[in-house]
Amino acid sequence: MLIKWIKCQVNEENKSSFSNAQEGWGELKQVDGFIGQIGGWDKNNPFEAGIISFWRDDRSYQAFMEQQHDEIFEKSNQRNTYSNISVQIFEKMFNISTTDMTDFSKGSLLRVADCFVETNKQLEFKHMQKEVWNKGMMASPGMLAGVFAEKKNGRYLVASLWDNDRSHQWYVDNKLPALIQSSGVKDPAIKATGSLIKVNPKWIVF
């Protein structure tokens, strides 16, 4: 499975236009290989939108980019609604729970960590994700689903879907400190940036 992580910087006066344009991506549901898309505004950065989408494989994603992307993009009138865009493509490695990440039906909060790990720490990082982080997150009430993905250049994506803000805050207060200590994520060889996305139901495409 291919995972596409998009971040857009949007000026205050363009937020409404950007949101309306994002709702125009419903045509994705007709595209072969498309699985689902979810996104919203970052709670800690109200002028940054985060969108994550899931594709069956690289072949279907590349076919979409070559044949259909530009037409849908132009129809949405989204081109002039953002000031900057970042697009990263990751390959799924494993789920963080027994529920597939593409089940968006109940989640209202999306947590995404974008990590860069130096070569000598990559095996340890992946081991810690599976043996420490996954188990800690799965034991947290309200964590509905999650996924761990990677790129070949030492970049990793950890995305989790939560039922509400309260559940996520409980995890931050009661689970996160111990997980950070156990996993060694504060190691200088690991650099991570996080996004906390309030899901906009109108941006979801199944």
Side-chain angles (χ1 to χ4, degrees), residues 17-18 27 56 66 72 78 81 92 114 123 143 150 153-154 161 163 170 178 180 185 188 192-193 199-200 204:
S17 297
F18 179 91
E27 291 186 38
R56 183 178 61 222
E66 293 170 5
I72 299 175
Q78 200 165 24
T81 64
K92 176 185 173 181
D114 187 347
L123 288 177
M143 206 288 282
E150 71 172 344
N153 61 353
L161 189 64
D163 59 356
W170 185 94
I180 289 174
V185 75
T193 59
V199 173
N200 186 331
I204 294 176

Side-chain angles (χ1 to χ4, degrees), residues 16-193:
S16 178
S17 297
F18 179 91
S19 186
N20 290 336
Q22 191 60 40
E23 294 175 30
W25 286 89
E27 291 186 38
L28 283 170
K29 66 179 66 176
Q30 308 299 330
V31 178
D32 180 54
F34 173 77
I35 298 173
Q37 179 166 286
I38 187 172
W41 298 105
D42 192 327
K43 288 173 63 65
N44 299 321
N45 184 353
F47 303 114
E48 182 173 279
I51 300 112
I52 192 167
S53 63
F54 299 84
W55 295 81
R56 183 178 61 222
D57 50 36
D58 182 67
R59 179 180 296 179
S60 58
Y61 173 70
Q62 293 300 333
F64 159 70
M65 292 300 295
E66 293 170 5
Q67 301 169 19
Q68 295 144 306
H69 174 274
D70 290 356
E71 181 180 355
I72 299 175
F73 181 62
E74 293 301 328
K75 282 183 181 179
S76 74
N77 294 316
Q78 200 165 24
R79 183 183 300 276
N80 297 317
T81 64
Y82 55 85
S83 58
N84 190 45
I85 185 170
S86 168
V87 179
Q88 301 290 334
I89 306 295
F90 296 84
E91 186 75 29
K92 176 185 173 181
M93 299 301 293
F94 49 77
N95 286 334
I96 299 177
S97 73
T98 55
T99 303
D100 194 272
M101 181 70 187
T102 55
D103 182 3
F104 307 138
S105 58
K106 298 179 181 178
S108 66
L109 194 69
L110 176 68
R111 172 70 179 179
V112 180
D114 187 347
C115 309
F116 173 77
V117 183
E118 293 181 12
T119 303
N120 64 326
K121 289 288 184 177
Q122 290 176 13
L123 288 177
E124 180 182 350
F125 179 81
K126 288 187 278 189
H127 175 76
M128 286 297 177
Q129 179 63 46
K130 183 172 288 188
E131 298 300 324
V132 177
W133 286 98
N134 282 21
K135 293 177 181 179
M137 294 173 73
M138 287 176 65
S140 300
M143 206 288 282
L144 303 176
V147 67
F148 178 77
E150 71 172 344
K151 295 178 70 170
K152 293 180 180 179
N153 61 353
R155 291 282 291 276
Y156 298 88
L157 191 79
V158 185
S160 55
L161 189 64
W162 299 78
D163 59 356
N164 54 50
D165 292 16
R166 186 173 60 257
S167 295
H168 181 264
Q169 191 59 50
W170 185 94
Y171 160 76
V172 170
D173 295 338
N174 296 279
K175 288 283 187 179
L176 187 60
L179 291 174
I180 289 174
Q181 185 173 0
S182 300
S183 67
V185 75
K186 292 293 187 180
D187 190 306
I190 302 172
K191 298 177 176 62
T193 59

